[in-house]
């Protein structure tokens, strides 16, 4: 066998051993994972970051993510003074266990560089009217295309018979023609409920479909009209009543960028001090975002107010909270839209505006560490679980959602890379001691695969004994006829008298 073949054979064996060690290592770490997590929490606590929150009365506060002597969360105002964060009424559950005001998010324009792939069935179907007290099941079906179309089809819940269809022109017994279907950009479909306006009704479905509750139980909570659902189409906002099988455009306007629902009087009807209970009725409204303004409508589509947006806030997503009839609070947001990650990252800035779009107050809040990022200590603990630079790099490349915290993963990759360098140096030293060829290839192998790679290298072969050379006195491996230090032949072993000579 040639030297090249021997080294390739050795590399193959080392790879198999590295994979086997990785499996065993992962199994052992999984068994003691809770203990490692406790060590991480003890050594590197998570109370060293802050988050910006909005109290139910509209007051911005900073959550220090720590507790006082009574075990209560510590908050402070923007002026740095400690405050008591008031409890607020949870309008969706009927209890008073929320701390924050119900803020509505409004997107900016779609990202033009976003790659679009035709949607699968699990994204194209949305179930409506799912509660047990709803006698029918309606499904919104989209064709999954970028310039797509969709329609509703309903079935009797008891008999399973088809009720009919709903398109742009209302009820139909036959599948609506393409021109009678709702025109909806496929990018609106991705995510729970897709183009439907809803707040807090993410009912998990056994079939794995996105489910929107619009039946009588939703009306009892005072949110929607009986059996009504609001569809945000490309050409406007449509109110659909699945019981009456009607479709009515309450605002026909292709310039609507985003639409959502909101409580317009939340800050005045929710408790403002700890222990106070909710009393009063929350007023539900529809928010429509245009390029330069926000229109508020009642649930029947009647215009209420128009809020102009300052130029500084027209090109970003926003979180919106109406404080009074002439004041609103806005927090800018950046929308992440990648193949694996659709989410929102809010800036630590607050804008108070009047109805004319004038900024009456602006605060840039300084916070400690980002809660979504972890420190060096936690990365050291994590790197012990996955001590392989190549695996970390592959995970970050494969799952783009990890790149939302790319700095932290670069840190983790750097720590694992440090391990790889250490083991590569150990590999180089051992390779030199034994006078083996292909030093660079083996060092690269160990550098990429870290601890598993070094284990594979160390045990992929039987290593010969190293004895002092009788000529130069240096220790040399005895798997060859001459010393690789001085080049002199080793003396023949002493005869034992049992040798047979041909």
């Amino acid at each position: 066998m040639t030297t090249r073949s021997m080294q390739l054979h050795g590399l193959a064996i080392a790879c198999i051993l590295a994979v086997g060690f990785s499996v065993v290592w992962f199994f052992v770490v999984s068994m003691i994972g809770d203990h490692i997590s406790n060590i991480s929490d003890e050594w590197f606590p998570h109370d060293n970051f802050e988050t910006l929150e909005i109290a139910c009365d509209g007051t911005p506060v900073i959550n220090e993510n720590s507790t006082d002597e009574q075990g209560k969360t510590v908050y402070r105002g923007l002026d740095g003074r400690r405050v008591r964060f008031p409890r607020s009424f949870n309008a969706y559950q009927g209890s008073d266990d929320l701390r924050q005001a119900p803020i509505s998010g409004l997107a900016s324009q779609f990202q033009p560089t976003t790659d679009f792939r035709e949607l699968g069935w699990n994204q194209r179907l949305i179930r409506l009217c799912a509660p047990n007290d709803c006698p029918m099941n309606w499904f919104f079906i989209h064709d999954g295309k970028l310039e797509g179309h969709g329609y509703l089809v309903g079935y009797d819940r008891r008999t399973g018979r088809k009720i009919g269809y709903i398109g742009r022109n209302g009820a139909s017994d036959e599948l609506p023609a393409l021109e009678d279907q709702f025109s909806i950009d496929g990018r609106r479909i991705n995510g729970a409920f897709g183009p439907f306006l809803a707040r807090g009704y993410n009912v998990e479905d056994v079939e794995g479909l996105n489910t929107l509750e619009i039946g009588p139980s939703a009306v009892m909570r005072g949110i929607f009209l009986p059996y009504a659902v609001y569809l945000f189409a490309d050409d406007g906002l449509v109110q659909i009543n699945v019981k009456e099988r009607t479709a009515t455009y309450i605002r026909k306007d292709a310039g609507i960028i985003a639409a959502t629902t909101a409580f317009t009087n939340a800050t005045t009807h929710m408790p403002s001090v700890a222990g106070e209970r909710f009393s009063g009725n929350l007023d539900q409204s529809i928010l429509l975002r245009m390029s330069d303004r926000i229109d508020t409508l009642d649930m029947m589509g009647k215009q209420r107010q128009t809020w102009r947006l300052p130029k500084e806030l027209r090109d970003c997503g926003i979180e919106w909270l109406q404080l009074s009839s002439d004041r609103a609070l806005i927090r800018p947001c950046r929308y992440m839209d990648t193949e694996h990650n659709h989410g929102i990252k809010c800036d630590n800035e607050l804008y108070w505006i009047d109805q004319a779009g004038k900024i009456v107050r602006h605060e840039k809040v300084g916070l400690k560490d980002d809660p979504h990022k972890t420190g060096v200590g936690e990365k050291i603990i994590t790197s012990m679980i996955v001590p392989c630079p190549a695996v970390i790099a592959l995970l970050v490349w494969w799952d783009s959602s990890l790149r939302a915290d790319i700095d932290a993963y670069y840190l983790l990759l750097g720590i694992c890379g440090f391990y790889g360098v250490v083991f590569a140096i150990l590999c180089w030293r051992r390779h030199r001691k034994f006078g083996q060829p292909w030093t660079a290839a083996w060092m690269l192998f160990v550098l990429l695969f870290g601890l598993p790679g070094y284990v594979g290298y160390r045990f992929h072969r039987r290593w010969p004994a190293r004895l002092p050379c009788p000529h130069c006195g240096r220790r040399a491996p005895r798997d060859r006829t001459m010393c690789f230090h001085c080049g002199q032949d080793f003396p023949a072993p002493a005869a034992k008298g049992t040798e047979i000579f041909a």
Side-chain angles (χ1 to χ4, degrees):
M1 184 179 290
T2 64
T3 301
R4 178 185 178 87
S5 299
M6 291 178 60
Q7 294 302 318
L8 291 175
H9 183 260
L11 277 170
I13 295 176
C15 285
I16 295 173
L17 290 174
V19 171
F21 174 81
S22 299
V23 172
V24 174
W25 181 272
F26 182 79
F27 176 77
V28 172
V29 169
S30 299
M31 297 289 290
I32 60 175
D34 291 340
H35 182 62
I36 293 178
S37 178
N38 292 336
I39 292 176
S40 177
D41 292 340
E42 183 178 351
W43 291 359
F44 312 105
H46 291 264
D47 58 355
N48 60 341
F49 65 88
E50 298 173 336
T51 54
L52 178 62
E53 299 178 2
I54 308 298
C56 58
D57 61 356
T59 303
V61 293
I62 297 173
N63 185 344
E64 296 185 359
N65 291 283
S66 60
T67 56
D68 57 18
E69 296 77 7
Q70 288 76 34
K72 296 182 179 180
T73 305
V74 177
Y75 300 93
R76 72 174 190 272
L78 299 185
D79 58 2
R81 298 180 181 179
R82 293 288 174 87
V83 296
R84 296 179 64 194
F85 198 124
R87 298 163 65 87
S88 68
F89 179 73
N90 184 344
Y92 320 125
Q93 304 294 335
S95 61
D96 57 347
D97 57 359
L98 283 185
R99 294 191 301 266
Q100 297 190 38
I103 298 176
S104 298
L106 287 168
S108 57
Q109 295 282 7
F110 287 125
Q111 295 295 330
T113 58
T114 300
D115 294 331
F116 179 82
R117 295 182 180 180
E118 190 163 319
L119 304 177
W121 273 107
N122 63 324
Q123 297 169 300
R124 293 167 54 187
L125 265 67
I126 301 174
R127 172 179 286 185
L128 296 87
C129 207
N132 294 329
D133 52 5
C134 186
M136 49 191 166
N137 274 329
W138 284 85
F139 297 87
F140 175 78
I141 301 177
H142 190 267
D143 58 16
K145 299 178 181 179
L146 178 61
E147 297 179 357
H149 296 80
Y151 59 90
L152 280 82
V153 58
Y155 297 88
D156 186 280
R157 196 161 191 170
R158 183 177 60 86
T159 65
R161 298 182 62 181
K162 185 187 295 183
I163 298 173
Y165 300 89
I166 301 177
R168 289 166 53 92
N169 297 320
S172 172
D173 293 329
E174 302 295 333
L175 178 66
L178 189 65
E179 59 270 15
D180 293 330
Q181 297 179 17
F182 300 103
S183 175
I184 300 177
D185 191 305
R187 290 171 293 185
R188 297 192 196 279
I189 305 298
N190 203 3
F193 312 139
F196 292 99
L197 309 192
R199 287 191 62 91
Y201 293 117
N202 195 347
V203 182
E204 188 162 346
D205 192 281
V206 292
E207 286 88 1
L209 301 177
N210 292 326
T211 304
L212 176 62
E213 178 183 341
I214 61 170
S217 60
V219 178
M220 290 173 60
R221 298 191 183 111
I223 306 299
F224 291 115
L225 301 175
Y227 296 100
V229 63
Y230 296 85
L231 177 66
F232 179 25
D234 290 348
D235 57 350
L237 189 66
V238 189
Q239 183 191 85
I240 299 174
N241 191 310
V242 296
K243 187 174 183 179
E244 302 296 333
R245 295 175 62 190
T246 60
T248 305
Y249 275 83
I250 62 176
R251 176 65 70 88
K252 199 160 188 178
D253 188 341
I256 301 175
I257 296 173
T260 188
T261 56
F263 295 114
T264 53
N265 59 348
T267 58
T268 57
H269 283 69
M270 288 188 173
S272 58
V273 296
E276 181 182 339
R277 296 191 61 83
F278 169 81
S279 62
N281 296 317
L282 291 175
D283 188 12
Q284 186 83 354
S285 295
I286 296 174
L287 302 181
L288 302 181
R289 178 171 183 178
M290 313 296 180
S291 60
D292 61 346
R293 71 183 190 276
I294 292 176
D295 289 341
T296 61
L297 318 177
D298 64 17
M299 301 307 288
M300 296 303 295
K302 183 179 178 181
Q303 180 83 20
R304 282 183 168 171
Q305 285 182 296
T306 294
W307 296 78
R308 295 290 174 182
L309 285 175
K311 293 182 179 180
E312 297 89 336
L313 302 174
R314 292 180 183 178
D315 296 327
C316 63
I318 60 173
E319 284 191 341
W320 170 274
L321 179 63
Q322 185 170 337
L323 303 175
S324 63
S325 60
D326 61 350
R327 285 290 185 275
L329 176 61
I330 293 179
R331 186 179 184 185
C333 300
R334 313 298 166 183
Y335 282 73
M336 299 176 292
D337 189 4
T338 62
E339 180 181 354
H340 300 283
N341 188 20
H342 301 270
I344 302 172
K345 180 177 176 58
C346 292
D347 297 342
N348 295 325
E349 288 190 80
L350 296 171
Y351 293 83
W352 287 260
I353 69 168
D354 61 17
Q355 197 172 344
K358 179 183 177 181
I359 298 176
V360 297
R361 182 184 173 191
H362 174 219
E363 292 279 355
K364 190 167 185 178
V365 184
L367 301 178
K368 291 183 180 178
D369 296 340
D370 189 333
H372 300 292
K373 295 184 179 181
T374 49
V376 176
E378 286 182 273
K379 289 307 171 190
I380 293 176
I381 296 292
T382 307
S383 65
M384 295 178 184
I385 302 174
V386 190
C388 180
V391 171
I392 297 299
L394 182 63
L395 286 175
V396 175
W397 173 81
W398 180 262
D399 188 356
S400 59
S401 64
L402 299 179
R403 291 195 286 271
D405 193 5
I406 193 64
D407 293 340
Y409 281 92
Y410 276 148
L411 177 60
L412 176 58
L413 183 60
I415 295 173
C416 290
F418 173 75
Y419 296 157
V421 170
V422 171
F423 288 119
I425 293 174
L426 294 178
C427 168
W428 171 75
R429 292 184 61 187
R430 187 172 187 82
H431 227 63
R432 287 194 60 189
K433 288 179 181 179
F434 286 89
Q436 296 296 311
W438 283 35
T439 304
W442 281 106
M443 286 183 64
L444 180 62
F445 172 78
V446 174
L447 177 66
L448 290 177
F449 295 99
L451 176 59
Y454 184 74
V455 171
Y457 163 75
R458 181 66 177 77
F459 295 99
H460 81 283
R461 59 164 292 175
R462 294 184 63 181
W463 298 90
R466 294 174 62 243
L467 300 174
C469 173
H471 302 289
C472 65
R474 301 175 67 180
R475 299 174 66 87
R478 294 304 180 93
D479 59 344
R480 60 202 75 183
T481 59
M482 64 178 63
C483 173
F484 80 91
H485 293 297
C486 63
Q488 297 294 322
D489 291 335
F490 293 125
K496 298 182 179 179
T498 58
E499 294 81 7
I500 299 176
F501 300 96

